[in-house]
Amino acid sequence: MEPESGTLPSRSPSQFFLNLSRNLLLAYQSFGVVYGDLSTSPLYVYRSVFFGDLTDYQTPDAIFGAFSLIFWTLTLIPLLKYVFIVLSADDNGEGGTIALYSLLCRHAKFSLLPNQQAADEELLSYKYGPSQPTSQSPSPLKRFLEKHKKLRTALLIVVLLGASMVIGDGVVTPAISVMSAVSGLQVQGVGLELSHGTVLLFACVILIGLFALQHTGTQRVAIVFAPIVILWLISICGIGLYNIIHWNPKIVYALSPHYIIKFFRETGRAGWLSLGGVLLSITGTEAMFADLGHFTAFSIRLAFVAAVYPCLVIQYMGQAAYLSKNITSIHDSFYKSIPEPVFWPVFVIATLASVVGSQAIISATFSIVKQCHALGCFPRVKIVHTSKHMFGQIYIPEINWILMVLTLLIAVGFQDTTLVGHAYGLACMTVMFITTFLMALVITFVWQKHIGYATIFLVFAFIEGIYLSAAIMKVPQGGWVCIVRYGYKDIQRDDGNFENQLIQSIAEFIQMEAVEPRLSTSENTSFDGRMAVISTRSNTTLTVSDQLDSTSSAIQSSKSLMLQRLRSDYDDENPQIRRRQVRFQLPSSGPVMDDVVRDELLQLIQAKEAGVAYIMGHSYVKARRSSSYLKKLVIDIGYSFLRKNCRGPAVALHIPHISLIEVGMIYYV
């Protein structure tokens, strides 16, 4: 995988154009995955802004002030903060709060999670890329944070809170996007004026179809969804230009921040609370960073600067121009601002775009869950890689279906996009606030910039803190987010894939050792300092014969009498299962093989034919008898439920159940 820093390495003209074409293709695909959520925000922003106390200030000046707030919010946070700064802080191509935490832990001793390699715990930092002269001594702030465990614990809790909020976004986003789009069917005098129950049923059907498409993978979904988002952006841009020219061209004056000051001077506390609606104009921005593993930083930047940002600004400006002359249409401002001849085409595009809008946070949820799982902070789940070229493009079936169920419950339970929007805005702004805090640490400890740069960057935290305070005030009105930890239980299978892959990997490693002196030249080193994967699958590797084996031959493959008896009993109980037999042999023809390599491979084949038994530890945690009732409830019931319903190590590694021996250990805490 190439560095995801967003720059195009120009080693040669052909390489330059290859990278450029690849990034242009990824930029095109990013429309269908990353920007669907952000681009559909005009469906519900103005309605949410003028909800509650601000209904008493529905004047042209308030409309101008609201648009000015939206414009500067879009400019400062998505454009300046994320596009120009945050997207540069990738962790080996991955983005999100967990990726920032992992990046920090590689450059400082912040991690509280157990390390699998004892030798790694002695390292001060991990770095990739060309070697650079290190600083004379770590900064006092770094030493202070490394010394106090409580601060490192607080850092981990903040990171996990950010990850939980992203998962919460994955539940709320599809509901608000689809419900906002189909609400056009209820617009009086324009839509079909369907009942609320019919529209809700229509939204649920669309949501089920959306999650059913996820198994096809990010690339295929992006290719299908990208034209929809591009057509949507062109539509809202055209409608915005029409409304500016037709209704009120003077709306361009609202680009001045003077109207923001005037807005708060007139509205006071009600204007501050309306920020909970203004922040909905940037929901989906966090997906730009969280979806970084699915694309490249350059492609995401290109799509936003060239298309998404200007189209959104023009659309919000056009809606404001329409509302300044039609104050009573705030509740359905988007659909009523559409010229009547093009209403139905735009409605169809809006409905399709709202479905696409949910894709950004769904893909981001997959990435965050994978990162949490890698750090040991999430139950084991099945991760399916859907692309041979982009390692970060993944699909997690269990997460997908649980998100679908929770999204349907949100849609049916709230039945109001304004209430859902309050929960949505709180979750999104919390993630952005945490990202700003982590980025300040990255600027200081990873990029090794002066602490003054980090202090300047924390200006974004002050701005986001104001928005977050307004969103918190919406908690009684629906601004609460339920975060669910979950797992599942798999059916054990007699699957030998893990064993066969292990044998093949060991054989390749044996041959790689033999040819290592020839492959260790400077030409084969990785340009970005990452581990280079050298393929040794040639004519000298083991040949594989695959056939259906009979029960008797399967039993005789092991020298263990106990294992033979167990296999015999298992086959008697399951006569419908026919086991696949995979045999490894040395190639009879091809290049001459080194005698040492041949002997080691023959020993490996003999060990495989003798049979393999796997011994794994299985730990149980229980509360002491003297523990409090709350501790017993959490450990003996809550933790035990999660442990029993999570994917076990044997299932995750595809270890044959018949060859597995588990050694149990009970810990009383």
Side-chain angles (χ1 to χ4, degrees):
M1 186 182 299
E2 296 180 0
E4 305 292 340
S5 61
T7 59
L8 294 174
S10 54
R11 300 168 193 159
S12 66
S14 60
Q15 184 70 23
F16 172 80
F17 286 109
L18 178 63
N19 287 329
L20 179 61
S21 60
R22 174 174 175 264
N23 278 281
L24 289 176
L25 177 61
L26 290 173
Y28 168 77
Q29 293 178 356
S30 69
F31 285 106
V33 175
V34 178
Y35 293 115
D37 184 14
L38 185 61
S39 63
T40 54
S41 296
L43 289 170
Y44 46 79
V45 168
Y46 281 106
R47 177 198 311 172
S48 299
V49 170
F50 289 93
F51 176 83
D53 295 340
L54 207 63
T55 54
D56 299 331
Y57 299 93
Q58 295 182 1
T59 62
D61 287 341
I63 298 295
F64 274 51
F67 165 69
S68 187
L69 274 170
I70 293 171
F71 169 75
W72 284 104
T73 302
L74 272 172
T75 302
L76 290 176
I77 297 180
L79 182 64
L80 184 58
K81 173 190 168 183
Y82 275 88
V83 171
F84 290 120
I85 302 177
V86 175
L87 287 179
S88 300
D90 66 287
D91 178 35
N92 202 24
E94 293 286 342
T97 55
I98 297 294
L100 290 178
Y101 179 74
S102 176
L103 191 63
L104 286 170
C105 291
R106 288 212 313 271
H107 291 77
K109 292 183 178 181
F110 290 163
S111 179
L112 291 175
L113 303 175
N115 199 311
Q116 300 299 326
Q117 301 294 333
D120 289 350
E121 296 179 355
E122 302 300 325
L123 297 178
L124 292 177
S125 64
Y126 301 79
K127 297 181 181 179
Y128 61 84
S131 59
Q132 298 177 352
T134 57
S135 57
Q136 291 78 2
S137 60
S139 65
L141 178 61
K142 181 179 179 180
R143 293 197 303 266
F144 179 77
L145 293 175
E146 291 177 343
K147 182 179 179 181
H148 293 81
K149 185 177 179 180
K150 291 184 178 180
L151 294 177
R152 290 183 284 125
T153 303
L155 177 63
L156 178 60
I157 293 175
V158 168
V159 170
L160 294 179
L161 174 62
S164 300
M165 287 298 175
V166 173
I167 299 175
D169 280 354
V171 175
V172 178
T173 300
I176 188 173
S177 297
V178 175
M179 290 172 64
S180 298
V182 299
S183 64
L185 295 173
Q186 295 179 283
V187 178
Q188 296 181 356
V190 182
L192 297 178
E193 301 184 24
L194 299 179
S195 64
H196 183 71
T198 304
V199 172
L200 183 61
L201 178 62
F202 186 40
C204 292
V205 172
I206 294 176
L207 288 171
I208 294 174
L210 168 67
F211 286 99
L213 286 175
Q214 297 303 314
H215 74 281
T216 59
T218 304
Q219 184 175 3
R220 294 182 180 178
V221 170
I223 292 175
V224 175
F225 284 175
I228 298 174
V229 176
I230 293 174
L231 186 60
W232 165 254
L233 290 172
I234 295 174
S235 301
I236 63 175
C237 182
I239 294 171
L241 286 173
Y242 169 81
N243 287 328
I244 293 171
I245 298 172
H246 183 266
W247 291 106
N248 193 353
K250 293 182 179 180
I251 189 65
V252 295
Y253 297 149
L255 295 175
S256 171
H258 165 73
Y259 284 88
I260 298 178
I261 301 174
K262 187 177 180 181
F263 174 80
F264 285 116
R265 186 184 301 152
E266 294 180 357
T267 59
R269 183 178 183 275
W272 165 60
L273 292 177
S274 70
L275 293 177
V278 173
L279 67 86
L280 294 181
S281 63
I282 57 173
T283 51
T285 302
E286 73 283 357
M288 294 167 57
F289 187 43
D291 284 334
L292 188 58
H294 295 256
F295 302 96
T296 63
F298 179 82
S299 62
I300 294 177
R301 288 186 176 113
L302 179 63
F304 183 82
V305 174
V308 177
Y309 177 75
C311 290
L312 286 177
V313 171
I314 292 174
Q315 165 56 211
Y316 285 119
M317 187 183 297
Q319 266 197 74
Y322 172 82
L323 289 175
S324 65
K325 302 297 183 180
N326 302 271
I327 297 294
T328 57
S329 301
I330 287 180
H331 183 71
D332 298 306
S333 60
F334 176 79
Y335 285 109
K336 288 189 176 180
S337 66
I338 301 174
E340 188 172 349
V342 296
F343 175 84
W344 285 111
V346 173
F347 170 77
V348 173
I349 297 173
T351 304
L352 295 175
S354 67
V355 176
V356 179
S358 307
Q359 185 62 45
I361 200 64
I362 293 175
S363 299
T365 302
F366 292 159
S367 298
I368 291 295
V369 169
K370 185 190 75 170
Q371 295 168 12
C372 290
H373 172 259
L375 290 178
C377 301
F378 203 87
R380 293 182 181 90
V381 291
K382 181 180 180 180
I383 299 176
V384 179
H385 292 271
T386 60
S387 174
K388 295 180 180 179
H389 307 288
M390 294 297 297
F391 181 75
Q393 294 186 1
I394 59 173
Y395 165 67
I396 306 179
E398 296 76 21
I399 303 295
N400 181 66
W401 300 121
I402 292 179
L403 284 180
M404 184 191 73
V405 173
L406 295 178
T407 299
L408 292 174
L409 292 176
I410 291 290
V412 175
F414 280 93
Q415 300 186 12
D416 187 352
T417 56
T418 302
L419 295 178
V420 178
H422 293 160
Y424 186 28
L426 176 60
C428 293
M429 190 50 63
T430 302
V431 175
M432 295 180 189
F433 186 79
I434 292 174
T435 300
T436 302
F437 169 70
L438 295 176
M439 271 300 303
L441 297 179
V442 169
I443 292 173
T444 304
F445 302 137
V446 180
W447 294 352
Q448 297 183 356
K449 302 295 183 181
H450 191 273
I451 195 172
Y453 290 99
T455 304
I456 296 174
F457 186 81
L458 287 176
V459 172
F460 291 109
F462 173 76
I463 298 173
E464 292 163 349
I466 297 175
Y467 283 98
L468 185 60
S469 64
I472 292 175
M473 298 300 294
K474 302 289 186 179
V475 169
Q477 303 173 10
W480 44 270
V481 180
C482 297
I483 305 301
V484 181
R485 286 294 299 269
Y486 50 85
Y488 65 98
K489 193 173 184 64
D490 289 278
I491 300 176
Q492 298 283 356
R493 299 177 299 171
D494 187 20
D495 190 355
N497 288 338
F498 173 74
E499 180 179 319
N500 299 328
Q501 293 174 3
L502 178 63
I503 298 299
Q504 289 177 328
S505 299
I506 295 176
E508 292 177 2
F509 177 75
I510 292 173
Q511 289 196 314
M512 187 176 67
E513 279 191 318
V515 299
E516 187 178 11
R518 297 197 301 261
L519 296 176
S520 59
T521 60
S522 60
E523 288 81 8
N524 292 296
T525 57
S526 177
F527 285 98
D528 59 354
R530 302 170 190 166
M531 180 180 293
V533 180
I534 303 173
S535 177
T536 61
R537 293 185 179 179
S538 61
N539 293 331
T540 60
T541 54
L542 299 179
T543 59
V544 181
S545 61
D546 191 355
Q547 60 184 1
L548 290 175
D549 192 16
S550 61
T551 305
S552 58
S553 62
I555 298 174
Q556 293 174 359
S557 65
S558 175
K559 295 182 180 180
S560 171
L561 296 177
M562 178 61 68
L563 189 56
Q564 292 180 21
R565 189 181 306 164
L566 289 173
R567 284 181 174 172
S568 178
D569 295 340
Y570 180 81
D571 291 334
D572 292 340
E573 295 175 0
N574 303 273
Q576 73 279 7
I577 298 179
R578 302 185 66 190
R579 185 177 294 105
R580 292 170 56 251
Q581 181 186 21
V582 178
R583 293 186 178 276
F584 296 93
Q585 299 175 346
L586 292 178
S588 57
S589 61
V592 179
M593 185 182 298
D594 186 78
D595 292 338
V596 177
V597 174
R598 177 180 291 274
D599 291 340
E600 290 190 36
L601 292 178
L602 285 174
Q603 294 176 10
L604 181 64
I605 294 175
Q606 293 174 0
K608 168 67 171 64
E609 295 298 327
V612 179
Y614 304 88
I615 302 177
M616 299 190 68
H618 199 108
S619 301
Y620 297 87
V621 178
K622 291 187 176 181
R624 298 178 183 271
R625 293 184 178 180
S626 59
S627 301
S628 63
Y629 176 78
L630 179 61
K631 187 175 182 179
K632 291 181 179 179
L633 179 66
V634 172
I635 297 178
D636 294 346
I637 298 179
Y639 174 78
S640 178
F641 173 81
L642 292 175
R643 180 184 58 80
K644 292 178 180 178
N645 290 274
C646 292
R647 175 183 287 257
V651 177
L653 295 174
H654 297 285
I655 296 177
H657 186 57
I658 195 64
S659 303
L660 177 63
I661 300 175
E662 291 187 316
V663 179
M665 180 70 70
I666 300 178
Y667 295 94
Y668 290 94
V669 295

